[in-house]
Amino acid sequence: MAKVLFIKANPKEVEDSNTFQLATAFLNEYKKINPDDTIDFIDLYEEEHLTFIDQKMLRQMLSGEDNVMAQYAKHFTEYDKYVFAAPLWNLSFPAILKAYFDYISYAGITFKYTEQGSIGLLKDRPRKAIYITSRGGDYTTGPLKDLGELYIHTLLKFFGIEQVETLALDNTNVLVGEALQKAREEAYERAREVAHRF
């Protein structure tokens, strides 16, 4: 029995979001396969304490006193699996997700410094994560890259989470009509397949 944290980083409603519809296909299948797992949700746009780190907060973080950032980081460590749902915005993900990552990137909780360099503290047990996204174009080839995907994979491995994958629906602003619907259905099928190994 695993604990799953679903992190939503998109101001759109589910019916208006390709990302959330893809995430829903994934989660619905996951729930069927793992009915005893606990799935908790956090909508970053609804988190009143989630802001950009200012000077006062930075001092709190460096001093080691209890603070809202440490609370978010500790909450993050309670889970075995992580589902990040965020669209591609300007070659990355929405800034609110970066703010969340700045909170949970907390020395002594998700990683620590040693004489050999920094090491992740979330390798204490097997954990895995998936980044679910939709992108207006095709960022798998050519000069333009999804830098958010690179960031998430790198940061989570920095924490010690080695199993990280991406589930993407591409070309949502390029395809129209039946072609777009076909791409959606193919992505939903991939989502159901990935759910079986997550």
Side-chain angles (χ1 to χ4, degrees), residues 56-65 67 69 106:
K56 177 184 175 183
M57 297 167 72
L58 188 59
R59 281 199 302 266
Q60 290 176 330
M61 179 182 282
L62 295 176
S63 70
E65 65 180 280
N67 56 69
M69 295 158 292
Y106 203 104

Side-chain angles (χ1 to χ4, degrees), residues 5-20:
L5 181 61
F6 178 85
I7 301 109
K8 296 173 63 177
N10 190 343
K12 290 184 177 181
E13 300 293 335
V14 173
E15 59 270 18
D16 298 322
S17 168
N18 284 305
T19 298
F20 287 162

